[in-house]
């Protein structure tokens, strides 16, 4: 593999991104474990060369490494099981379907013994179509419609996570009408909001999800008074892409105060602490190993319960990106390349044949990604590049800052790793760009799990279109 001469970072380079020794390297924490380069320098995932996939399926293309999803699901399951067992309780894992949901993924996580979380009627239907047992589904959402709740109760959804007073009344009416008992958790807002390495702890969090802690006891009393509702416990989710245990500890301490108080009025068998476990998007992200995270969180809950003299409840967790994020790699073809003169130097704009329609996270959250030439290795010194899409928005950025080999050229394939979570679900048809296919790879074989959109799809809902 060619190694580039070490070059100095331009003055406009972000401080966090060092010039790599080799701008063709595949950083292990970011890529699926199966990723490597073959003798020709092509990137191979799940035993299949990305160039071959691009020839067959076109670009852009979202490749999902099935073994990576399954390995991560199993590792999470085991990490939380082991930690829970060590502290005298149990832990269930619900895969947060909103990160990436289709019937293949549902099947894979079910086979690893996970349950599924959904947050709309649409997600519920996909989970059921994928073979999920309704009884093992958790149903979230701050604005579930009466129709969605009715469908959930009817289908036998195991747990509905109640998010508002209106929802309690809707569920009271529905369960009375259909003569069923529905298990519910109450989502509370602990006032702790975790952001990657830090967390914010306030008395009143300014957001739409859940009940403020001060209002929760009254809501639980109301639930307990409804004959068709079975109160199972509290739920709290403090955010996403969290790296440490500190935010979870603080949140658990606050929620346990309420949990203890609720024990005076009846059973509180469960506690769900949500998801949000961080992953590596770039080489500088260093997530806590999941075993350490599981032990840290569950130990905090167990210690909190011991200090209050109450039993440790059955625990649940809801990871999404930690299961699918690093299993996805988006493959693009490089189109135009422009060297734009800045005051401080030259910035190279590398345009690809997708963009914010297949990965909205950079435009939406300023998310950081990395990129590598996929069809070959580059020979020239690394050049700081900005990978942009083909949309009519200057904010249409896929990778804001990345060193690519200086000989990157139109027609090259470019791969962006860690796109398995929140890319396909947030995709759009902006500029009438068809959504890319999802192709699963495993053991040297590839199969389409969600087909790409066609121009006919783009016109399918247009009432004025006649064939
Ligand atoms: C989004 C969400 C999750 C999953 O978050 P990840 O960062 O993907 O792990 C879990 N629970 C709830 C309630 C959520 O809203």
């Amino acid at each position: 593999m060619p190694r580039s001469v070490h070059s100095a970072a331009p003055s406009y380079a972000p401080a966090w991104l060092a010039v790599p020794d080799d701008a063709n390297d595949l950083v292990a924490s970011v890529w699926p474990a199966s990723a490597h380069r073959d003798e020709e320098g092509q990137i191979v995932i799940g035993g299949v060369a990305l160039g071959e996939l691009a020839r067959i399926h076109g670009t852009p293309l979202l490749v999902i490494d099935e073994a990576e999803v399954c390995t991560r699901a199993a590792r999470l399951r085991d990490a939380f099981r082991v930690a829970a067992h060590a502290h005298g309780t149990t832990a269930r894992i619900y895969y947060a379907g909103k990160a990436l949901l289709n019937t293949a993924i549902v099947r894979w996580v079910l086979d690893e013994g996970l349950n599924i979380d959904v947050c709309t009627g649409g997600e519920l239907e996909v989970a059921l179509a994928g073979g999920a047992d309704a009884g093992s589904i958790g149903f979230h959402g701050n604005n579930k419609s009466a129709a969605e709740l009715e469908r959930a109760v009817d289908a036998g959804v195991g747990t509905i996570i109640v998010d508002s007073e209106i929802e309690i009344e809707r569920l009271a009416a529905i369960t009375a009408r259909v003569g069923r008992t529905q298990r519910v958790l109450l989502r509370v807002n602990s006032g702790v909001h975790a952001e990657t390495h830090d967390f914010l702890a306030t008395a009143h969090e300014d957001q739409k999800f859940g009940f403020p802690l001060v209002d929760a006891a009254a809501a639980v009393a109301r639930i307990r008074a409804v004959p068709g509702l079975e109160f199972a416990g509290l739920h709290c989710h403090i955010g996403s892409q969290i790296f440490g245990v500190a935010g979870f500890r603080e949140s658990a301490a606050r929620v346990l105060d309420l949990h203890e108080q609720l024990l005076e009025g009846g059973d509180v068998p469960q506690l769900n602490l949500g998801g949000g476990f961080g992953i590596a998007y770039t080489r500088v992200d260093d997530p806590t190993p999941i075993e350490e995270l599981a032990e840290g969180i569950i130990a905090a809950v167990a210690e909190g319960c011991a200090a209050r003299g109450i039993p440790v409840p059955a625990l649940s967790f809801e990871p999404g990106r930690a299961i699918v994020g690093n299993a996805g790699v988006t493959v693009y073809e490089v189109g135009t390349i422009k060297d734009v003169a800045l005051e401080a130097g030259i910035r190279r704009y590398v345009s690809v044949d997708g963009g914010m329609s297949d990965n909205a996270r950079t435009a939406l959250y300023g998310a950081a990604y990395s990129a590598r030439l996929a069809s070959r290795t580059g020979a020239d010194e690394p050049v700081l590049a900005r990978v942009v899409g083909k949309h009519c928005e200057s904010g249409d950025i896929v990778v804001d800052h990345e060193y690519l080999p200086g000989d990157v050229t139109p027609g090259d394939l470019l791969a962006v790793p860690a796109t398995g979570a929140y890319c396909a679900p947030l995709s759009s048809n902006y500029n009438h760009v068809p959504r890319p296919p999802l192709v699963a790879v495993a053991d040297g074989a590839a199969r389409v799990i969600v087909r790409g959109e066609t121009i006919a799809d783009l016109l399918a809902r247009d009432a004025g279109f006649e064939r």
Side-chain angles (χ1 to χ4, degrees):
M1 203 172 285
R3 287 184 80 81
S4 44
V5 181
H6 207 92
S7 52
S11 62
Y12 54 89
W16 60 267
L17 186 62
V19 184
D21 290 335
D22 176 6
N24 297 300
D25 67 346
L26 307 178
V27 175
S29 55
V30 177
W31 290 79
S34 70
H36 64 275
R37 291 189 184 269
D38 63 15
E39 304 92 72
E40 289 154 29
Q42 275 199 82
I43 297 175
V44 175
I45 311 274
V48 188
L50 296 185
E52 188 187 329
L53 290 175
R55 262 193 306 281
I56 296 168
H57 302 286
T59 53
L61 162 69
L62 179 54
V63 179
I64 307 285
D65 184 330
E66 178 177 347
E68 187 73 22
V69 172
C70 296
T71 306
R72 284 173 176 264
R75 187 173 162 191
L76 266 150
R77 176 200 66 207
D78 292 345
F80 282 91
R81 254 189 209 165
V82 166
H85 189 252
H87 293 282
T89 185
T90 58
R92 278 172 163 240
I93 302 291
Y94 286 79
Y95 167 61
K98 73 177 198 266
L100 182 66
L101 196 64
N102 53 65
T103 59
I105 301 272
V106 168
R107 197 66 261 158
W108 300 345
V109 298
L110 290 177
D111 285 349
E112 297 303 332
L114 270 54
N115 305 295
I116 307 224
D117 243 15
V118 299
C119 61
T120 64
E123 288 186 359
L124 174 60
E125 297 306 333
V126 176
L128 292 172
D133 169 27
S136 72
I137 293 177
F139 188 13
H140 275 284
N142 70 300
N143 186 24
K144 306 176 196 79
S145 70
E148 285 174 320
L149 289 170
E150 183 139 10
R151 169 70 175 136
V153 173
D154 235 21
V157 162
T159 308
I160 295 180
I161 296 91
V162 168
D163 207 286
S164 65
E165 281 162 22
I166 291 171
E167 196 178 329
I168 299 172
E169 300 315 318
R170 282 177 173 168
L171 283 172
I174 293 165
T175 51
R177 191 161 64 241
V178 303
R180 275 191 187 233
T181 301
Q182 178 63 53
R183 187 187 313 124
V184 300
L185 293 176
L186 189 86
R187 180 162 181 175
V188 296
N189 182 339
S190 66
V192 174
H193 192 89
E195 305 238 353
T196 307
H197 292 287
D198 286 320
F199 66 89
L200 270 175
T202 59
H204 303 279
E205 216 197 348
D206 193 3
Q207 58 132 304
K208 69 176 184 176
F209 293 109
F211 287 79
L213 284 174
V214 292
D215 299 337
V220 171
R222 172 64 189 136
I223 291 171
R224 282 174 164 159
V226 175
L229 296 182
E230 174 199 329
F231 176 70
L234 299 172
H235 174 284
C236 185
H237 171 76
I238 58 171
S240 276
Q241 187 61 359
I242 303 165
F243 282 175
V245 289
F248 289 105
R249 275 182 172 273
E250 176 62 28
S251 180
R254 292 175 174 212
V255 171
L256 282 177
D257 283 339
L258 174 64
H259 180 98
E260 179 186 16
Q261 185 191 333
L262 296 175
L263 282 167
E264 289 162 20
D267 284 347
V268 190
Q270 299 183 25
L271 176 62
N272 186 324
L273 292 173
F277 314 132
I279 64 166
Y281 283 98
T282 72
R283 65 176 69 234
V284 299
D285 292 330
D286 186 20
T288 311
I290 200 70
E291 291 77 12
E292 231 174 274
L293 210 55
E295 168 58 26
I297 297 169
I298 294 179
V301 173
E303 286 158 22
C305 290
R308 292 168 177 81
I310 58 175
V312 186
L315 300 174
S316 309
F317 297 91
E318 304 170 331
R321 92 183 60 222
I323 293 173
V324 293
N326 295 102
V329 176
T330 306
V331 185
Y332 301 100
E333 186 177 306
V334 174
T336 61
I337 297 179
K338 282 182 197 170
D339 282 343
V340 176
L342 314 176
E343 264 174 46
I346 305 266
R347 192 196 293 284
R348 181 160 298 179
Y349 277 85
V350 175
S351 299
V352 295
D353 51 357
M356 63 191 294
S357 55
D358 60 78
N359 185 351
R361 291 190 68 255
T362 307
L364 206 54
Y365 313 119
Y369 282 93
S370 67
R372 282 292 172 256
L373 278 182
S375 39
R376 63 184 182 96
T377 51
D380 290 1
E381 271 193 47
V383 170
L384 186 64
R386 175 168 285 166
V387 180
V388 296
K390 63 180 291 164
H391 295 279
C392 297
E393 293 276 341
S394 51
D396 173 29
I397 295 168
V398 181
V399 184
D400 210 7
H401 307 283
E402 176 61 299
Y403 287 98
L404 293 175
D407 53 328
V408 56
T409 197
D412 278 336
L413 295 180
L414 194 76
V416 175
T419 55
Y422 303 108
C423 287
L426 283 165
S427 65
S428 75
N429 282 135
Y430 182 43
N431 294 139
H432 285 277
V433 172
R435 288 181 180 82
L438 270 66
V439 177
V441 290
D443 301 324
R447 73 189 161 101
V448 174
I449 55 173
V450 179
R451 73 164 171 82
E453 280 177 332
T454 62
I455 298 300
D457 289 326
L458 297 182
L459 283 162
R461 294 184 304 126
D462 186 323
F465 174 66
E466 286 170 30
R467 272 166 213 281

